[in-house]
Amino acid sequence: MAVNMAVSRIKREFKEVLKSDEIAQCSIKLELANDNFTELRGEIAGPPDTPYEKGTFLLEIHVPETYPFNPPKVKFITKIWHPNISSVTGAICLDILKDNWAAAMTLRTVLLSLQALLAAAEPDDPQDAVVASQFKDNYEMFCKTAKHWTNVYAKGPHKFPDFDAKVQRLRDMGVNDFDARAALSRHNWDINLATNDIF
Amino acid sequence: MSSSQTTTVNDPHLDNTTTTNNDTLPNNNSQEPSTSTDSSQYRSSTQYSFKPPPENSKTSTKPDLDDNEEEKRDDSMYVCNICLDIAKESVITMCGHLFCWPCLNCWLETKPQRQLCPVCKAAISKDKVVPLYGRNNEKQQDPRSKKSPPRPQAQRTEPDNSQNYQGFQSFGDAGFHLSFGIGAFPFVFFGSSFNFNDIRQRNGQNGSQFEEDQFLSKVFLWVAIIFFCWLILA
Ligand SMILES: [Zn+2]
Ligand SMILES: [Zn+2]
């Protein structure tokens, strides 16, 4: 019974999302990743006036058998620099995906809440402690880094040639692209600190 | 009236971020002329419940009964906030939110320590929901008094340990006899050890089973002796 309930609800929700205004505005997207409505792909647009603006962020959504009584499991596939999202795994710290889930919430409200999370980070309840402390201690650096990640991983428009150059220098030393960028981001783009961190 | 009401039912506005601007949408659903002022949400939910008829909702597939259009318009107001289908065995919370009783019950059982309305997160309880009885409600029976459908169960296969199980079973039996028959204790004890023999024979021979039974027999023997001493001393 539980399986049927989860599947029939996802089917209804799926149609709801397809007809929603947000789809029309290309603000959120939802598609099936398998045939039995348990794995889905979400997509959210970075909200305007944030470092994520004009970026496109992909999400992996797993619907448990006990849905909607338990929340869907969601994580970012697209790499993102945000206090409440792990820069490494994409794991999300958001109350409604944990204790504050309610059975009347839908995948649409989840996607919209994630969009809202991008617009309003909560550094005091972080998933990624390094990002959160940068957010609090050096907000300007945080914004630049987040914009850079949006550019590199989410097709955002803002290029940072000096950041790219530093990543290239570490790559020349044999570090892979992501590790180089993550280390530099963690150390406010100080290449010496980043190098020490890696080697 | 129906427009705003429906919106609340379908779209819980759980977070402040759900900015729906339903009313600004031009109405472009020509196939439903009766619903001229409805939002997209309203439209879509009606379509779910009517176009591909869901397995279990008989109301939607019934073509006869009086005014079909009227029925269509009203149905979407009665969509359960959990399964998103027309509510069955409907109940309404004190905060005004509609659910199927089985759906709400399952939610309350999922979070027994935090009983909150799934829509608005108001505190709710089993005793404070109001069952809804419509005119054509077959039997006006409080849905809460019915046995709710079995809870979803996790998929788990038991390891194959029927042998041990047998052992436990006979142990349980013996325990039962012991506690009931203090007066006739020794007889019951012998009875239960006969049982062991029986089971062993029925099960075919198995070394470990045999040893286990032997062990149990010994345990009971000692228990019986201690009991006996106690009876005599007391
Ligand atoms: Zn329901
Ligand atoms: Zn409520």
Side-chain angles (χ1 to χ4, degrees), chain B residues 80 82-84 99-100 103:
Chain B
C80 165
I82 292 180
C83 64
L84 311 184
F99 305 93
C100 310
C103 290

Side-chain angles (χ1 to χ4, degrees), chain B residues 93-97 99 117-122 124:
Chain B
T93 55
M94 296 308 269
C95 46
H97 291 116
F99 305 93
C117 170
V119 179
C120 68
K121 295 186 174 167
I124 56 172

